[in-house]
Amino acid sequence: MTDTDGPGERPEAVRGAAAAWIADPAGRAALLLTAGAALIITLVVADVKAVLSLDEGVAVRLHAAALQHPGLTHASRIVTDWVVDPWTMRLLLAGAVVWLWHRRQRPIALWTACTSAAEWALRTVLRRAVGRNRPEWERPVGSAEFAAMPSGHAMTAAATCVLLLWLACVAQLPSGLVRAGTVLAVAGVAAACFTRVFLGVHWLTYTLAGTLLGTGLAAGATATWRATGPYSHAAARTGSTPSAEGTERGLPQR
């Protein structure tokens, strides 16, 4: 705040930022996606028969297909272990963060890194809290450890892809590249969900919950940046936006 700001202006700024967050389409999407994930988790924890039957039916059919098609099973292992693995996703995002830092876009670089860390922390906490088991098979074709809800592959892939697409828009990359990136993002998240269920290490609803949570978290982070970041309308009202000189250095603009 500036020296002329009174104590009553901070609550007003908070209310303004909250209103801007709700008004942002990304903010509203974050609420809906998180609510959807919470509903799925609640239904699973409550052992709703229809949901458990759906999970079991999909898992049994895909496991049978995995046993019948070893080539596809091997390809799925490569995809899940290398292409859509959470560490691969984090490395992609780390590359974007380093690029932003090199371009002196350090606030948004830090915000992106913190969002990725928050995704990892939320996933870990939820897994410990929910504590659901993975499928068990007489002839397993894949293996995984730790609690299963939500799917870490799906959640990290979804959060990373949304953040990368947001950064591409912030950097004003050509629209063709953004569209191509969107297609790759959808394919990547779908591959993460499919391969985990196909290899018999996740139930379908666990991957859906992870996808919704990851997308919702990233959408909420982008809405928060726009509502409270150094380029937000709230910052402009308090006179705390970066100088014109900083903007000319290539910092994100809205």
Side-chain angles (χ1 to χ4, degrees):
M1 295 195 306
T2 63
D3 294 339
T4 59
D5 288 337
E9 294 197 13
R10 181 174 291 274
E12 181 181 354
V14 172
R15 286 193 295 269
W21 194 93
I22 294 296
D24 193 312
R28 295 195 296 270
L31 291 176
L32 291 174
L33 292 165
T34 304
L39 176 61
I40 291 175
I41 293 173
T42 300
L43 293 175
V44 170
V45 171
D47 292 328
V48 174
K49 186 175 180 180
V51 175
L52 299 184
S53 297
L54 172 65
D55 276 342
E56 184 175 355
V58 172
V60 168
R61 289 181 177 86
L62 288 181
H63 183 63
L67 292 174
Q68 294 172 5
H69 303 283
L72 182 56
T73 301
H74 179 67
S76 296
R77 291 196 192 100
I78 294 174
V79 171
T80 197
D81 290 340
W82 295 99
V83 181
V84 295
D85 182 78
W87 284 110
T88 302
M89 295 291 105
R90 294 188 188 106
L91 284 174
L92 288 175
L93 203 58
V97 168
V98 171
W99 175 69
L100 289 167
W101 194 274
H102 178 71
R103 293 186 61 191
R104 298 181 182 275
Q105 299 178 9
R106 292 174 182 175
I108 198 170
L110 289 173
W111 185 252
T112 302
C114 288
T115 302
S116 179
E119 179 272 323
W120 174 82
L122 176 62
R123 173 166 59 89
T124 302
V125 169
L126 283 175
R127 282 181 157 187
R128 291 186 181 278
V130 178
R132 304 295 291 190
N133 294 325
R134 298 176 185 271
E136 296 182 1
W137 310 101
E138 291 184 4
R139 298 170 58 192
V141 297
S143 63
E145 299 178 352
F146 202 56
M149 171 68 94
S151 166
H153 279 67
M155 186 170 176
T156 303
T160 299
C161 288
V162 171
L163 288 172
L164 288 175
L165 288 173
W166 172 55
L167 294 177
C169 293
V170 168
Q172 298 181 341
L173 296 183
S175 58
L177 286 178
V178 176
R179 286 194 295 269
T182 302
V183 173
L184 289 175
V186 173
V189 175
C193 294
F194 173 78
T195 55
R196 302 310 283 170
V197 181
F198 185 75
L199 293 173
V201 295
H202 268 309
W203 304 107
L204 174 64
T205 52
Y206 294 16
T207 64
L208 293 178
T211 299
L212 292 175
L213 279 173
T215 306
L217 176 67
T222 63
T224 302
W225 171 266
R226 288 195 285 258
T228 64
Y231 298 90
S232 65
H233 294 300
R237 285 196 301 270
T238 60
S240 59
T241 55
S243 64
E245 179 184 359
T247 303
E248 291 172 357
R249 291 174 179 169
L251 291 168
Q253 301 181 51
R254 294 185 186 83

